[in-house]
Amino acid sequence: TTSRQRVGRAWNLISTQVRGVEGGVDSIMGLSTTTLAAQLRDVVEARRAFAERYPLVYPRLGPVLGRPAVARGRWAVVGDVFNAAKPASRVLARVSAEAASCAGVSPYVKDGLTTVADVRGALDAVDLCVSPRIGAREVDVLADRGVRFIFAQPGADGEA
């Protein structure tokens, strides 16, 4: 395939996300068509490899939870997980029933796991049921740990 054909396919992938192109048709945000095509090819390959490694079994559950290999991986739920009146405790119970393992992290207690940094081992996904102030700190830790999936419950994804 030619460079222009690769860019055309790449453009089809990102066109819904781009409002306009400045600098002519041969560059997007200062990237040459060759560089852009190579980067988008890497993204497409990573998505293909992910879909192959983690097949989508339950499409109605979405692109993450519909993949049992991910849904049944290692999770953490961050919130007031030890207070039965709080949604975080119900989320913890639900995830614990499906996941291979699930750590309850409560920033509201003095002992035990008070931050995701306290959880040993790799994590596949984390569900945040905390205020934006606490959630923002946890997201920084999650990014450093390489956690791929973060779910923010209503209120946990607002302005910090």
Side-chain angles (χ1 to χ4, degrees), residues 102-147:
C102 185
V105 177
S106 178
Y108 308 107
V109 298
K110 293 181 181 178
D111 297 326
L113 304 175
T114 59
T115 178
V116 175
D118 296 337
V119 179
R120 291 186 181 168
L123 288 170
D124 298 307
V126 173
D127 196 314
L128 298 173
C129 304
V130 291
S131 70
R133 182 180 47 80
I134 296 169
R137 287 192 310 251
E138 293 295 346
V139 168
D140 290 339
V141 173
L142 297 172
D144 292 342
R145 290 187 66 165
V147 175

Side-chain angles (χ1 to χ4, degrees), residues 13-117:
L13 290 171
I14 65 167
S15 63
T16 59
Q17 307 299 321
V18 176
R19 292 185 184 180
V21 176
E22 295 182 20
V25 295
D26 289 333
S27 68
I28 293 181
M29 297 177 286
L31 299 175
S32 71
T33 54
T34 306
T35 302
L36 181 62
Q39 289 179 345
L40 288 171
R41 191 171 41 251
D42 292 345
V43 168
V44 169
E45 175 57 29
R47 284 185 178 175
R48 186 199 61 72
F50 176 79
E52 201 172 274
R53 183 174 180 194
Y54 304 107
L56 184 62
V57 177
Y58 309 108
R60 287 185 22 211
L61 295 178
V64 176
L65 297 178
R67 300 176 194 281
V70 175
R72 294 191 183 118
R74 283 189 38 97
W75 284 67
V77 175
V78 181
D80 201 355
V81 295
F82 302 115
N83 183 344
K86 297 290 187 159
S89 68
R90 293 187 296 275
V91 171
L92 178 64
R94 180 72 186 255
V95 172
S96 294
E98 298 293 328
S101 67
C102 185
V105 177
S106 178
Y108 308 107
V109 298
K110 293 181 181 178
D111 297 326
L113 304 175
T114 59
T115 178
V116 175

